[in-house]
Amino acid sequence: MLKVENLKVNYGGIEAVKGISFEVPKGEIVTLIGANGAGKSTTLRTITGLVRAREGSISLEGEVITGLDTPAIIGRGITLVPEGRRVFPDLTVLENMKIGAYLRNDSLEDDIAHCYELFPRLKERSWQMAGTLSGGEQQMLAVARALMSKPKLIMMDEPSLGLAPLIVKGIFDIIREINKSGVTVLLIEQNANMALQIADRAYVMETGRITMSGTGAELLANEDVRAAYLGKGK
Amino acid sequence: MNTTLFLQQCLTGISLGGAYALIAIGYTLVYGILRLINFAHGDIFMMAGYFMIFAMAVFPWYVSIPIVLIATVILGVLIERTAYKPLRSAPRMSVMISAIGVSYLLQNLATYLFTALPKGYPEIPILKKIYNFGGISASLVTFLTPVITIVLVFLLLQLIGHTKVGMAMRAVSKDYETAQLMGIRIDRTISFTFAVGSLLAGVGSILYFTDRMTVFPFSGSLPGLKCFVAAVIGGIGSIPGAVVGGFILGIGETVLVAMGYSTFSDAFTFILLIIMLLIRPTGIFGEKVTDKV
Ligand SMILES: Nc1ncnc2c1ncn2[C@@H]1O[C@H](COP(=O)(O)OP(=O)(O)OP(=O)(O)O)[C@@H](O)[C@H]1O
Ligand SMILES: [Mg+2]
C-alpha cells in the first residue's frame, strides 16, 4: 500500500532522516520503533507532506505522492493522528469528528455512530469543548477524528503517550479492531513491547536510519531489541 | 436637551456605531486567523467609497451596490494574495510592516488616481429620504444601518458557527498544521476570511459615506483606526466584541458631539482605548492571550 524509498529529510543543515526505505503492505499493522529523536515523527510528517523530502520517493498504491500538498495527500486516503493529539480545543467533540471528515460530502451518521461505539466516552461528551477533555479522552478523539476521513491508511504517532496502562491497553485493542475493519496501520510507539505484539511487521529506527526489520515476533525475540527498547538485559 | 433630541442623537450614535461595527469585524476576523492587524483595512473601506462614486456614474444604485461589494471583495483578496500570502512563514512583524505598506500604497494610489480633493459621494435617493418615527426624524440610512448590521452579524455568526467553511476558519485560526491534516486548504480559508471582512467593509462604506457625503484618499485612516480600537476594546478576535466596541465608540462619539464637545470626539476613542488597555487588556470579550507561534 505505502512504499517509502531512500527517503532523506533535512531541517536546515541537519539531516533528520538519512535515506530510509520501508513498506506498509495492505491490511497489515506496521510499527516503527526507535529512541527519541530517531526521526520517526519526521518520517510520518514527510509522508503527509507537512515536511518536504529532500530525496527519495513515497508512493501510495503505486502512485507517487511525494511533492503533493497535504490536503491532496489526505484526499488520497492517508490520515495521521499527530504526536501530542492536536485536537481543536475550542471545537466541540462532535465538531472535531466532523472536521475529520472535511473532505467527504456523503452522510457521516454511520461513521459517527461507529466512532461512538469504539469510544463510548466521546458520545457522553459530544458537546464538550475538546480542550477540556482529559488527555486520554483527547487521544481517543484524535483517533476518532482520523477515522472519520475513512482512511485506507491510518498513521499514529505515539498514541499511548502519557496514558494510564489500562487506557493504553484499550488503545491497542482499538488499533487491532481498526485494522480488522480493513484499515492499514502504520504505528509509531515508544511502548515497543505492546507495539511489537500487535505488529505484523516492524522496523527499528536509529538516528535517521533503519537498522533492523522483521516481523513483530522476530523483533520481540531479538536480543538487541530486547536490550535497547524493552529494558531487558541480555 | 429634550427627550426627542436626545433620542435623535442616540439614533445617530447607534447608526454610526453600526457602520463602525461592520468595519471592526474585518479587523477581528483577520486577526483571528492570521494574528495580523490588517492596517490596510481602513483603506479598503476608503477605496470602496471611490468604487461607489465610479459605479454610480454609470449604473443605477441597485446595480452599483453589488458592483461595489464585488470590487471591494476582490481588492481585499488581492491584497491578501500579493502582500500577505508570500510572507506566510515570515515573522509576524514582517507581515505587519507589509500591511502598513499596503495602507500607504492605497492612500497614495488614490491620491494619484483621484487627486486629494474630496469627491462628492453619490446620493442614493431612497437612503436619503427622511422618515419620521414617533417624533424622531432621520434619513432612512440612519434607521437602516443598525438593522443591517445586526442582520449581517447574525448571518456571520451562523456562517462561522454552523457551516463547514466556518468550522474550517475556526480550525485554521488555532492550528495551521492540523487543519491541513484534515484536508483544509489554509490559503483558501484565509482568502475567504478576507473576502468576508472586505464585504462587510464594503457595506459599512456605503452606509458611512452616504451620511458623510464626501470621500478623499485619507477617508479611511481615522475611521479605520477607530474601528481597530473598537475591535481591541471588544476583545480582538471576538466578533461580538467588535460589534459592541463599534457601538460604544459610535454612541460615545455622538453623545460628546451633542454635548458640545465635538473637539474631543476623536480623542474619546483613544482615551477609551488607554483605559481599556489599563484595566482589561484583553478587551470586553477577549479570551486569555494565546500567543501563536
Ligand atoms: N522543525 C524542526 N527543525 C529542526 N530540527 C527538527 C525539527 N523537527 C525535528 N527536528 C530534529 O529532527 C530529529 C528527528 O526528530 P523527530 O521528531 O522525527 O524524532 P522522533 O523519532 O519522533 O522522536 P520522539 O520519539 O522523541 O518523538 C531530532 O533530532 C529533532 O531535533
Ligand atoms: Mg516523535
Side-chain angles (χ1 to χ4, degrees), chain B residues 41 44 49 64 66 68 76 90 113-114 133 167 178 193 209 211 268 290:
Chain B
H41 193 61
I44 294 176
S64 300
V68 168
L113 292 175
F114 317 130
F133 276 107
M167 209 158 66
T178 313
T193 307
F209 286 122
D211 246 358
F268 162 76
T290 45

Side-chain angles (χ1 to χ4, degrees), chain B residues 205-258:
Chain B
S205 142
I206 294 171
L207 299 171
Y208 180 89
F209 286 122
T210 296
D211 246 358
R212 299 288 146 133
M213 288 168 337
T214 59
V215 185
F216 65 106
F218 303 98
S219 286
S221 313
L222 194 58
L225 201 53
K226 282 183 186 166
C227 293
F228 167 59
V229 170
V232 172
I233 288 175
I236 195 145
S238 151
I239 292 167
V243 175
V244 171
F247 280 118
I248 290 177
L249 287 193
I251 294 168
E253 213 181 294
T254 311
V255 166
L256 278 179
V257 173

Side-chain angles (χ1 to χ4, degrees), chain A residues 11 14 16 34-43 83 157-158 190:
Chain A
Y11 289 116
I14 311 157
N36 293 126
K40 307 180 299 291
S41 300
T42 303
T43 305
E83 194 170 20
D157 197 339
E158 302 197 30
Q190 293 290 342

Side-chain angles (χ1 to χ4, degrees), chain B residues 15-94:
Chain B
S15 180
L16 179 63
Y20 281 171
L22 290 177
I23 304 162
I25 290 172
Y27 282 100
T28 248
L29 283 177
V30 167
Y31 183 85
I33 206 154
L34 279 186
R35 298 296 182 271
L36 163 74
I37 296 158
N38 183 12
F39 288 105
H41 193 61
D43 304 290
I44 294 176
F45 158 85
M46 171 273 291
M47 289 301 273
Y50 279 106
F51 292 158
M52 190 68 176
I53 294 175
F54 295 113
M56 286 282 280
V58 185
F59 300 107
W61 64 271
Y62 48 85
V63 182
S64 300
I65 290 178
I67 290 179
V68 168
L69 297 182
I70 291 168
T72 313
V73 165
I74 293 174
L75 179 66
V77 172
L78 207 68
I79 289 172
E80 196 282 316
R81 286 283 163 102
T82 52
Y84 307 149
K85 186 181 161 198
L87 298 172
R88 204 73 90 214
S89 52
R92 229 185 299 163
M93 190 51 78
S94 315

Side-chain angles (χ1 to χ4, degrees), chain A residues 185-232:
Chain A
V185 178
L186 174 55
L187 175 67
I188 283 187
E189 260 304 330
Q190 293 290 342
N191 195 331
N193 186 24
M194 293 281 252
L196 291 175
Q197 281 184 29
I198 66 164
D200 297 300
R201 190 182 294 240
Y203 295 88
V204 177
M205 212 169 159
E206 272 170 47
T207 56
R209 289 201 172 81
I210 288 181
T211 51
M212 256 184 277
S213 64
T215 65
E218 277 167 17
L219 291 191
L220 259 183
N222 183 294
E223 285 295 315
D224 295 333
V225 173
R226 289 172 68 88
Y229 302 106
L230 303 176
K232 292 172 185 152

Side-chain angles (χ1 to χ4, degrees), chain B residues 96-161:
Chain B
M96 206 81 93
I97 291 166
S98 184
I100 294 172
V102 173
S103 167
Y104 282 118
L105 177 72
L106 289 178
Q107 287 173 10
N108 285 293
L109 198 68
T111 311
Y112 178 75
L113 292 175
F114 317 130
T115 77
L117 295 175
K119 279 201 190 310
Y121 196 76
E123 272 195 22
I124 302 171
I126 58 158
L127 283 184
K128 283 304 242 183
K129 201 162 162 219
I130 305 291
Y131 283 81
N132 222 310
F133 276 107
I136 310 171
S137 65
S139 59
L140 182 63
V141 69
T142 314
F143 289 109
L144 212 53
T145 304
V147 178
I148 291 179
T149 306
I150 299 302
V151 170
L152 288 179
V153 168
F154 174 78
L155 291 177
L156 179 64
L157 291 175
Q158 293 300 311
L159 174 85
I160 290 182

